[in-house]
Amino acid sequence: MTIKDVLKKEIYLVGDDKHVNDFLYVFDMFNNATVIEEKQIDGVFNVHDNAFLIICTGDKEKYLEIIKQINLDRGMYAFAEELFEDLDFDWNKLAGGRKIILWGIGHECDRFENKSMFCEGNNVYGYVDSEKRMDYRNGKKVFLPEEISGWRDYFVIITTIKYYEQVAMELSSYGLVEGIDYCSYMRQYDAFSDHYVMPSEMMKKAYYAEVTEGAYCREPFTKCQIVTGGDVVPCSCPPLVDSLPIGNIFCEECNAVWNSVEAKIFRLSIINRTYAFCNLNLCGKARNYDNDVGVKSIETP
C-alpha cells in the first residue's frame, strides 16, 4: 500500500514515542493522524469502518501478537517501514508513462545504468548524443537532437554533468520544463561511495539506530557544504559523516536541496539523537554543544 492509498483512510498511529515522532518528522503529511495507545486499537476499528493503523515501533513481534489477538485484517494496518520506499526517487513514476530518453552516452551514462536501480523495469526509448558517436547502445537507437520529434512525448534524463546547463537550455527551447520533463541522473547519486543513496535505507538507519545520550549538533540546521561535482553534504565536516549528499547544486535549486528528503532524514538523526550517519569519535562539534539544548529549540529552516 502506498502513501497515496493510506491518505484516503482515517489514520491512526500507535507505537513508542521515539518511533512515532521519527515517522511524523519525515512523513509530515500524516501530522493530522490520531495517535492512540495499544489498548485503544480494537475500539478504533469497532467504531470507524475506514480506519487505518500505522504501527511505529522497533518491536514488531509485540504488535503482531496484538493484531493476531484482535484479528485485524492485513489491509487495515501497516508498519511504518512499509511506507519508507515511497521516499525513494522513481524515474518511471516521474516520467508518468512517457518513454525515457537518456541524453549522453559516456561514462556517466554507464555509471547511471550500472549503479542505480534505474534498469529495473525502465522504459527507455533511446539515447541522444550531440555527436552521435554510435548508432546503437544496449540495443536502443542513438539519435541526434534534431532527429527527435515531439519532445513532449518523452522524459529526458541528462547523463552528463559537464554539459548539463547546455543540454537543459536546449531542452527548454523545445518547451520542456526542468523537474517535469527532464532532470539530471545525479539525483540521489553519492560520488564518494559510487552508489545511489536510497532515502528508504537512510530512513531505516535513522529510525532503528540506538539513541546516543549527551550529544547535540546544530550544524545540519544551519550549514551545508558543496563538495566536488556539486554534491551538497549536510554539515561542514563531510569526512566525518557517512558521505551522504542531500542534493547537487548543479542540478537542483538551492531551496530544493536544503529541503530535500535526504536532508530531512539527516536532521532527524540529530533530533532523535541516534547520529546514525555521524562519526562521533572524530567529530568534536557534536560533543562541544551543551547537553541541555532541547531538540524543540531548533526548527528546521
Side-chain angles (χ1 to χ4, degrees):
M1 182 169 288
T2 66
I3 289 176
K4 186 177 180 180
D5 296 325
V6 174
L7 286 171
K8 298 174 183 177
K9 308 282 188 177
E10 186 165 350
I11 305 162
Y12 294 86
L13 301 181
V14 68
D16 58 87
D17 289 345
K18 188 266 183 192
H19 290 101
V20 168
N21 290 334
D22 286 1
F23 179 77
L24 289 175
Y25 182 76
V26 174
F27 292 86
D28 52 10
M29 68 286 291
F30 293 114
N31 279 339
N32 292 325
T34 303
V35 179
I36 60 175
E37 298 179 7
E38 297 166 22
K39 62 185 179 182
Q40 297 175 286
I41 296 176
D42 197 15
V44 162
F45 287 92
N46 287 332
V47 176
H48 302 286
D49 294 335
N50 197 38
F52 189 87
L53 185 68
I54 300 176
I55 304 169
C56 307
T57 181
D59 187 358
K60 289 185 179 179
E61 293 302 319
K62 170 185 173 181
Y63 283 92
L64 284 172
E65 185 60 33
I66 294 173
I67 288 165
K68 183 179 179 180
Q69 289 174 6
I70 64 175
N71 198 27
L72 193 62
D73 185 80
R74 189 61 181 90
M76 295 179 175
Y77 72 91
F79 286 96
E81 182 182 321
E82 295 174 52
L83 301 177
F84 290 177
E85 286 189 5
D86 273 31
L87 298 171
D88 294 340
F89 197 72
D90 187 332
W91 301 100
N92 290 312
K93 185 176 180 180
L94 186 60
R98 292 170 290 180
K99 292 181 179 179
I100 295 173
I101 288 177
L102 303 186
W103 189 311
I105 57 174
H107 70 278
E108 289 178 280
C109 186
D110 292 336
R111 182 167 59 188
F112 174 62
E113 292 183 307
N114 293 332
K115 296 291 183 180
S116 73
M117 295 179 67
F118 170 75
C119 291
E120 298 182 10
N122 67 69
N123 188 26
V124 174
Y125 173 71
Y127 301 82
V128 167
D129 182 43
S130 299
E131 298 175 359
K132 198 173 180 179
R133 289 165 287 177
M134 60 182 72
D135 292 324
Y136 288 90
R137 175 188 168 92
N138 297 332
K140 307 284 185 177
K141 190 172 180 180
V142 178
F143 298 88
L144 288 167
E146 56 266 29
E147 292 178 322
I148 299 289
S149 59
W151 278 99
R152 289 184 178 277
D153 295 331
Y154 304 99
F155 182 80
V156 183
I157 301 174
I158 303 174
T159 56
T160 170
I161 286 298
K162 183 177 180 180
Y163 300 106
Y164 180 84
E165 290 188 10
Q166 180 179 327
V167 173
M169 286 180 62
E170 184 164 349
L171 291 174
S172 296
S173 72
Y174 301 145
L176 274 60
V177 178
E178 185 175 26
I180 297 176
D181 302 307
Y182 69 88
C183 69
S184 167
Y185 85 99
M186 287 292 286
R187 190 71 172 85
Q188 295 185 306
Y189 178 71
D190 176 8
F192 287 102
S193 59
D194 192 27
H195 75 281
Y196 278 76
V197 177
M198 306 306 288
S200 59
E201 295 303 315
M202 288 181 65
M203 185 64 189
K204 287 177 189 176
K205 193 170 183 179
Y207 187 76
Y208 289 118
E210 294 184 6
V211 173
T212 300
E213 298 293 346
Y216 198 71
C217 180
R218 295 182 178 90
E219 293 284 310
F221 300 91
T222 59
K223 299 175 183 177
C224 59
Q225 185 168 327
I226 302 171
V227 296
T228 305
D231 278 348
V232 181
V233 291
C235 73
S236 59
C237 50
L240 306 184
V241 300
D242 201 7
S243 54
L244 292 167
I246 60 174
N248 188 285
I249 202 67
F250 294 143
C251 311
E252 302 168 82
E253 295 292 332
C254 293
N255 227 26
V257 173
W258 184 256
N259 295 299
S260 67
V261 65
E262 295 91 340
K264 201 165 192 176
I265 296 171
F266 190 91
R267 293 181 187 121
L268 169 65
S269 73
I270 308 300
I271 290 174
N272 69 11
R273 296 181 187 260
T274 62
Y275 290 87
F277 311 105
C278 301
N279 188 334
L280 292 180
N281 293 324
L282 296 177
C283 182
K285 296 186 178 182
R287 291 201 309 267
N288 290 337
Y289 284 119
D290 294 334
N291 292 343
D292 62 352
V293 177
V295 295
K296 291 183 180 179
S297 67
I298 297 182
E299 297 293 334
T300 304

